[in-house]
Amino acid sequence: MSCDAFETLKKRYLTLRDNGLANTFKIQDAIISSIRVFLKSEGFTEILAPIIGPVTDPGIRGAKQVTIDYYGVPFKVMSSMILYKQMIIASLPKVFALSPNIRLEPLETVKTRRHLTEFRQIDLEVAYATCEEVMELGENMLCHVIREVKRKCCEELGERGKSLKVPRKPFKKYTYNEAVEILKNMGMHVEYGEEIPWEAEEALSKAHSEPFWITNYPITARGFYYMENERKPEVLEDFDLIYPEGFGEAVSGGKREHRYERLVERMWRSGENPSDYGWYLDMLKAGIPPSAGFGIGVERLTRFICGLENIWDAVPFPKVAGVPSP
Ligand code: ASN
């Protein structure tokens, strides 16, 4: 990111008067409304997302959590509401929320053009669901949103309206191992067990013209809350959805580990201290239903639908790593 772009973000009160941005935010409004209509038609209840709490999601790929002083008790600002989704599905079996998240991303993420330090996801969870069921829901939701935006925002989409297609279902599925193999054949090395690096993910995304899934990440690459596959130990029951055309990751989610003993083991393995997770572990001891779910980043979805180069143009008041903008 150039110094000019830095300065522009700090003067958002001027650049925000641009017509292009106004069109983007009208499209974003249509995206959010169509997701709400879709999920409600599928029987979901919208809940209010938590913003702070004693613990939050530790599985945030090198980003830092923010801690605040809550009357003498250290509290976290939500990096994702995953642990809270597991709490609510005991009473409401299909829930979603428009959840604001803060992650202090490493400075180099500015170069990916798809990382914000403050962003929102539509986070959903379904009690007793399998990965396949929520993945199918995700496909239907994305197709519905694109169809609705094309129908309602023809003028605002402009030229992008021509290249933006309603994807074909079912989306292609690669396991993590298959994705690593394809990347190897493309000349990119990914160490087995690691997250797929940003550049490799972007290259894979560029090689596709339709969204696709990457499933079954290794246990070492992800948070403790994803369930380990019973038949393939060390492999998770999880997934990412990747947008085509270089836009990269859209969704991440999976089936949750809900069994107390297994979860404590997983915490130790992933370097977390169970004693930091008071209420969460007490809740698992009390018993919660198994579930699966995912989160879809609202700004990334807007970036993809509008065909924007930079994620910071997909949000009115952008916050990117290292830039103290309004
Ligand atoms: N929202 C994701 C999930 O449901 C978690 C995340 O954002 N890291 O699994």
Side-chain angles (χ1 to χ4, degrees), residues 35 120-124 138 141-142 241 243 250-252 294-301:
I35 290 181
R120 289 120 201 111
Q121 35 182 333
I122 300 278
D123 236 325
L124 63 83
M141 182 167 100
L142 186 62
L241 178 69
Y243 291 126
V251 161
S252 74
F294 63 76
I296 180 164
V298 176
E299 294 87 348
R300 287 181 179 181
L301 176 57

Side-chain angles (χ1 to χ4, degrees), residues 192-259:
Y192 181 85
E194 275 183 2
E195 260 296 356
I196 296 176
W198 315 125
E199 316 78 61
E201 185 191 288
E202 192 183 336
L204 199 58
S205 161
K206 272 195 182 135
H208 286 78
S209 57
E210 295 267 330
F212 60 96
W213 299 99
I214 302 179
T215 65
N216 304 106
Y217 283 73
I219 206 164
T220 42
R222 293 278 153 118
F224 57 71
Y225 44 80
Y226 293 115
M227 191 174 274
E228 193 174 356
N229 188 301
E230 290 298 336
R231 278 165 292 119
K232 295 185 212 133
E234 308 283 306
V235 169
L236 299 176
E237 299 222 21
D238 74 332
F239 52 79
D240 277 4
L241 178 69
I242 313 291
Y243 291 126
E245 305 164 44
F247 287 96
E249 186 196 318
V251 161
S252 74
K255 194 158 193 283
R256 318 304 181 179
E257 183 52 80
H258 63 289
R259 296 161 297 183

